[in-house]
């Protein structure tokens, strides 16, 4: 299971998560996850599962290459 710190940090870096990075799964993290899932054609359930993580890792890698 991924830490909420990791999830929040990466969602925030991609401008999805607007809250404080506090490692507590709450409404803002769930909504940010749903928004990310929707934008990348994943099942929109708010659960940061293996598929969501795989896409997140790819997107973060692509952003890092651009920078």
């Amino acid at each position: 299971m991924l830490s909420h710190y990791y999830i929040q940090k990466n969602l925030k870096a991609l401008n999805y998560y607007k809250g404080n990075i506090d490692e507590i799964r709450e409404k803002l993290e769930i909504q940010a996850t749903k928004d990310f899932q929707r934008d990348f054609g994943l099942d929109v359930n708010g659960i940061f599962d293996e598929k969501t993580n795989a896409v997140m890792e790819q997107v973060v890698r692509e952003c890092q290459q651009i920078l």
Side-chain angles (χ1 to χ4, degrees):
M1 177 172 208
L2 298 169
S3 75
H4 293 286
Y5 174 83
Y6 167 86
I7 295 168
Q8 291 172 358
K9 179 180 151 202
N10 286 308
L11 287 170
K12 191 170 195 99
L14 296 172
N15 207 29
Y16 284 94
Y17 181 68
K18 307 295 184 204
N20 294 323
I21 297 174
D22 57 12
E23 300 189 54
I24 300 170
R25 185 171 189 265
E26 37 72 33
K27 290 179 184 180
L28 289 175
E29 181 184 326
I30 294 167
Q31 187 58 54
T33 300
K34 286 180 179 180
D35 294 342
F36 179 85
Q37 290 169 327
R38 185 175 304 106
D39 287 352
F40 288 92
L42 300 164
D43 292 334
V44 179
N45 57 19
I47 299 169
F48 205 91
D49 56 16
E50 288 181 29
K51 282 186 175 182
T52 303
N53 185 55
V55 173
M56 171 72 72
E57 287 179 353
Q58 181 63 34
V59 170
V60 168
R61 271 194 301 274
E62 290 173 9
C63 289
Q64 289 172 336
Q65 289 175 354
I66 291 169
L67 299 174

